[in-house]
Amino acid sequence: MDAVAGASVSSSSARLRPCPRPRRIGNVAPATVHRRSRRRAVTCAAAADADVVGLFDAAKLTVDRFVESGMVVGLGSGPASGLAIQYLGTRLRRGSLTGILGIPSSTISASEAEKAGIQVSSYEEGTQIDFAFTDADIIEEDTMTAVIGRRKTESGEPSFMVEKGIVKSADKLAFIIGHEKYVKGIEGSIPVLVKSANWIDTAEEIDDLFLGDAEVWRRPSIGTAGPLGGDFPLVTKEGHHVLDVIFTTPIPDLGKVAESLEKIAGVVDHGIVSSIP
């Protein structure tokens, strides 16, 4: 990581200063922006607390710091992204930003953009995106590798594959997260998108690959279910199932997990976002 900066956010101003960790100033929850300088800059706006006030500060900072008039902006999914979309709409109504085209990553973000008065267009592979923001479920502190796709979706909705496509296409990217999701060792679910045909063979191969380290459960569309996903498994708009590969101990190398999953027949995509060029 070439550069790390922290931004203390108040109701009236924001300033940048070197800071390895955010600190609370008074009653204001600060946000930090972690940047690594490459051809495509990756940033992480992290609120110190997961409450709405802290996330709004980070969402506001993200829009104010990175969005400029005339940009094509990828609109992420999740609570913080929803706040950023609302604030972006406010900036457009005030006239302090103009000519913004939003690319929603989900049905929900498209609906939020419409309510906020943001002009939108559907994502297609190869779409040029100047800047994107989204929530991450968790981020590995040392590598800035993120996991997305843990959030609950309904059958028939687009999968996290759209969100990941937007993330990978953006020239600049901001993850907006609560500080507790910015950790040194990631465990829990790694969502994996698999073809519905012969999905159980794919699941068994994944289970064998991470035997003793993780459990593999097919995600249900309603409530909770056993490892097979019950009678009503989740089926995405693309016709795929989602497997939750649930690691019970911290993952030593997320990048290697991603590489291993990509080699398995039947795996369409996964929720690990790493090695952004």
Side-chain angles (χ1 to χ4, degrees), residues 5 49 52 54 80 91 115 136 152 154 173 185 189 200 231 264 270:
D49 296 312
V52 173
R91 289 282 310 270
K115 292 176 183 176
K152 179 72 174 177
E154 303 294 334
L173 168 66
S189 170
I200 197 164
D231 295 330
I264 295 176
H270 52 75

Side-chain angles (χ1 to χ4, degrees), residues 155 218-222 229-235:
S155 282
R218 183 168 62 157
R219 192 175 296 184
S221 61
I222 301 174
D231 295 330
F232 303 99
L234 178 68
V235 180

Side-chain angles (χ1 to χ4, degrees), residues 200-214 216 264:
I200 197 164
D201 293 334
T202 306
E204 288 176 350
E205 188 170 349
I206 294 173
D207 190 48
D208 290 341
L209 179 64
F210 301 115
L211 189 64
D213 296 320
V216 180
I264 295 176

Side-chain angles (χ1 to χ4, degrees), residues 5 40 58 66 73 83-85 121 134 156 178 202 205 212 215 227 236 240 248 260 264:
R40 187 175 296 160
F66 297 108
V73 180
L83 293 171
I85 290 170
S121 179
T134 193
T202 306
E205 188 170 349
E215 299 178 356
T236 69
H240 305 312
T248 55
S260 298
I264 295 176

Side-chain angles (χ1 to χ4, degrees), residues 134-138 146-151 160-161 163-165 167 175 189-191 219 270-273:
T134 193
D135 291 42
D137 294 307
I138 200 161
V147 175
I148 62 173
R150 290 182 177 179
R151 293 183 294 277
F160 58 82
M161 191 164 58
E163 182 180 3
K164 187 173 178 179
V167 163
F175 291 113
S189 170
I190 302 297
R219 192 175 296 184
H270 52 75
I272 300 173
V273 183

Side-chain angles (χ1 to χ4, degrees), residues 240-275:
H240 305 312
H241 291 312
V242 178
L243 302 180
D244 285 297
V245 183
I246 305 169
F247 285 83
T248 55
T249 57
I251 301 169
D253 192 328
L254 267 176
K256 287 185 178 179
V257 170
E259 291 176 5
S260 298
L261 288 170
E262 290 163 5
K263 295 176 182 177
I264 295 176
V267 170
V268 178
D269 208 342
H270 52 75
I272 300 173
V273 183
S274 62
S275 302

